[in-house]
Amino acid sequence: MLFLPAVAPPPTLSNKAWWFLFHDDRLLVEARGDEVAIPRWASTEDARLSPVRTQFLGTLDGAPCYSGELAGEAGPEGTSFRALRPLLSVLPEEIFSLAGRAFQIMDWDRTHQYCGKCGGVTGPLEGERGRVCAGCGLHFFPRVTPAVIVAVVRDGKILLAQSSRFPAAFYSVLAGFVEPGETFEECVRREIREEVGIEVEDLRYFGSQPWPFPHSLMVGFTASFAGGDLVLEEKEIVRAGWFGPEEVLALRIPHHRTIARRLIDRFLAKFPADAER
């Protein structure tokens, strides 16, 4: 499936348009037994819905895509509102990615109706994904908050931790938000030092993933242990340790579509469980 982002909507409506409609942070989906799907209508009037505002996202395989904010009215029969995160394992990967984009643009639009500098009303910035204050002329664009996520390896074992924000017995690699004036590499070293007390070296870029909870960009790295003992930051980390491949396979770890899981899978590919025997 090919998504082409755009700002200007098509001049005519299409009965194949995708509609990503949210109430707060919950997405309206069609329920089909155990499956869910994104509604497709020519307009929201077809479903007797009146969004507070809508945003054109672009086209998916030529079909227009829209996001929108609902005030709380119930959807048509056969639909329901679902939290976005659990849909990671239900929607096709391309559709979930687009749903995440839709949420971020919708959320940015609804939270930038007024200027943070002078309090004036903002309006769309012509030809761009932006808003401009009618009073002082300040421009606003969708923001992205970068965060690093890193797999640290030591002697064939990977560092995994249970965060205070995780469900019980759920383990993942360490992550943290980039601070102003900080490089990604500096952030990796600081976060690892602050959360578990060790030093790392041999940092290598792995990949990235947009993460719409609510507007993050996860930037992945691999690293090697460079020294120190594990000393946990108790407000953030419940427990942490070095785990071999077979131990990792016995843990509850992130979903396979996440960059956290891809980092763990890279470790498992490099250090197969059978090699421990």
Side-chain angles (χ1 to χ4, degrees):
M1 304 181 82
L2 177 62
F3 175 73
L4 298 176
V7 176
T12 57
L13 297 175
S14 168
N15 59 6
K16 295 184 178 181
W18 301 80
W19 287 92
F20 297 86
L21 301 174
F22 296 86
H23 173 53
D24 293 333
D25 60 353
R26 299 173 70 84
L27 175 64
L28 184 70
V29 297
E30 295 177 342
R32 301 171 181 172
D34 294 332
E35 299 182 354
V36 298
I38 303 302
R40 303 189 70 175
W41 308 304
S43 74
T44 54
E45 293 179 359
D46 293 349
R48 298 182 180 179
L49 294 172
S50 301
V52 177
R53 57 186 64 87
T54 61
Q55 305 83 26
F56 178 65
L57 304 174
T59 59
L60 181 65
D61 287 346
C65 303
Y66 298 87
S67 56
E69 176 190 355
L70 296 172
E73 64 265 46
E77 185 178 355
T79 66
S80 62
F81 289 97
R82 303 283 182 89
L84 191 57
R85 189 184 294 266
L87 295 177
L88 176 66
S89 60
V90 179
L91 290 173
E93 189 167 359
E94 298 86 354
I95 300 299
F96 178 82
S97 177
L98 188 49
R101 179 191 291 259
F103 174 75
Q104 291 180 80
I105 291 175
M106 179 280 301
D107 187 58
W108 162 77
D109 198 28
R110 72 179 174 186
T111 57
H112 286 79
Q113 295 294 304
Y114 298 92
C115 177
K117 180 180 179 182
C118 73
V121 176
T122 67
L125 188 60
E126 186 175 356
E128 296 188 62
R129 181 77 66 197
R131 299 188 68 82
V132 59
C133 176
C136 68
L138 188 63
H139 290 185
F140 300 91
F141 299 94
R143 64 174 181 171
V144 175
T145 305
V148 299
I149 184 164
V150 55
V152 184
V153 175
R154 176 187 187 184
D155 299 329
K157 294 188 175 184
I158 188 172
L159 176 63
L160 298 179
Q162 181 187 340
S163 168
S164 59
R165 301 183 299 274
F166 290 169
F170 181 87
Y171 284 82
S172 185
V173 290
L174 294 176
F177 287 104
V178 180
E179 294 186 350
E182 191 174 50
T183 68
F184 290 136
E185 294 81 1
E186 289 169 341
C187 181
V188 168
R189 294 186 177 95
R190 175 185 56 78
E191 283 290 338
I192 296 296
R193 186 184 305 119
E194 288 179 354
E195 294 193 351
V196 293
I198 64 170
E199 301 296 329
V200 295
E201 61 184 3
D202 192 27
L203 270 64
R204 296 177 183 270
Y205 175 75
F206 174 79
S208 62
Q209 180 181 36
W211 196 239
F213 301 107
H215 41 68
S216 299
L217 175 65
M218 305 298 294
V219 182
F221 289 86
T222 61
S224 299
F225 171 77
D229 297 319
L230 292 179
V231 179
L232 308 189
E233 207 296 306
E234 294 181 355
K235 291 183 180 180
E236 294 284 337
I237 304 298
V238 176
R239 55 182 63 87
W242 300 100
F243 295 87
E246 290 192 345
E247 295 173 302
V248 172
L249 293 173
L251 296 175
R252 184 182 175 193
I253 54 178
H255 189 275
H256 67 87
R257 288 186 182 175
T258 65
I259 191 170
R261 179 60 176 269
R262 296 206 303 269
L263 282 163
I264 295 172
D265 285 345
R266 177 188 180 277
F267 163 78
L268 292 173
K270 187 175 181 179
F271 301 96
D274 290 342
E276 288 194 332
R277 297 192 180 100

